Amino acid sequence: MKPALTALGALSVVALLAGCSAAEDDSSSTPSGPGSPAPAAITGEVTVFAAASLKSTFTELGARFENDHPGTKVTLNFAGSSDLVAQLAQGAPADVLASADTTTMTRALDDGLVAGVPADFATNTLTIVTPPGNPAGIASFADLADSAVQVVVCAPQVPCGAATEKVENATGVTLTPVSEESGVTDVLGKITSGQADAGLVYVTDAASAGDRVTAIPFPESSDAVNTYPIATLTEATNPSAAQTFVGLVTGPQGREVLSAAGFGTP
């Protein structure tokens, strides 16, 4: 009986060793824990199309992105949101779109330009700006309807222009602007250069202009709050970097930078 027991014992040892080997093979095929390989590094260029009102904040966030991911380059294109969507529809290459309202982003979605579901990341409202010292004596939104006041606004197809129209409809005040601009930064430029008595821009643009303008808040602006969405694009050439950039904007660092610039939380 002893030889039989010895043979049986040897078979058990062989089986045990085989089981351990198989377990080791399984664990190596699905690595986990501290020894797991790190995710692939984000590299290469990421092109971001962003609303003009995001210029200062996205320039800062682009620099942070490049610092956090060595070997990357963020290329930023700023313009009116509707102009950006038109450029994309015509085949302009980009990885990320950040617009100044949900209407424009919906247009991009309908055109098949956007991948996935856009994420809302900020809000903004309008304010009146005048040259320093407010020489025309503007005190309210209704004052902008005075025929003696030269007013500059955004064109209706631009988010800041659409917001202006909402305020007009809510107040019953009709403006007769001397100029309708394609972007909020163009309106601001008309005021800082002294070419108009007053303009309507976002509170964040007025803040960035500092003492080059006088800002005049008006309560009716609450009738036209713009929500800013961001999304990766279907034709993105660097989707991993695009998704990571969106994560930066919608995450704590993005919130910090946007809040400091005066943007609200959606």
Side-chain angles (χ1 to χ4, degrees), residues 5-49:
L5 288 172
T6 301
L8 181 59
L11 288 172
S12 299
V13 171
V14 170
L16 179 61
L17 290 173
C20 290
S21 177
E24 289 171 0
D25 289 342
D26 289 342
S27 63
S28 64
S29 64
T30 55
S32 60
S36 303
I42 300 298
T43 60
E45 183 176 6
V46 55
T47 300
V48 179
F49 277 31

Side-chain angles (χ1 to χ4, degrees), residues 45-50 75-97 108 111-114 232-238:
E45 183 176 6
V46 55
T47 300
V48 179
F49 277 31
T75 298
L76 297 163
N77 176 31
F78 298 105
S81 297
S82 58
D83 287 343
L84 294 174
V85 173
Q87 291 174 34
L88 292 170
Q90 292 166 9
D95 300 288
V96 175
L97 171 65
D111 289 345
L113 302 172
V114 174
T232 58
L233 298 172
T234 54
E235 297 298 322
T237 57
N238 195 347

Side-chain angles (χ1 to χ4, degrees), residues 33-130:
S36 303
I42 300 298
T43 60
E45 183 176 6
V46 55
T47 300
V48 179
F49 277 31
S53 52
L54 294 167
K55 185 171 184 178
S56 62
T57 52
F58 270 42
T59 298
E60 180 176 346
L61 288 171
R64 291 196 185 196
F65 186 89
E66 292 176 347
N67 182 67
D68 292 343
H69 304 282
T72 60
K73 175 177 174 54
V74 178
T75 298
L76 297 163
N77 176 31
F78 298 105
S81 297
S82 58
D83 287 343
L84 294 174
V85 173
Q87 291 174 34
L88 292 170
Q90 292 166 9
D95 300 288
V96 175
L97 171 65
S99 68
D101 69 349
T102 54
T103 300
T104 308
M105 184 62 77
T106 298
R107 192 180 312 140
L109 274 165
D110 292 342
D111 289 345
L113 302 172
V114 174
V117 179
D120 296 339
F121 66 93
T123 60
N124 216 345
T125 54
L126 295 175
T127 189
I128 300 167
V129 288
T130 71

Side-chain angles (χ1 to χ4, degrees), residues 12 44 82 101 130 134 143 145 159 162 164 188 202 207 215 222 240-241 254-255 259:
S12 299
S82 58
D101 69 349
T130 71
N134 187 14
D143 287 345
T164 298
L188 193 63
Y202 294 120
S222 61
S240 295
R255 181 76 261 134
S259 295

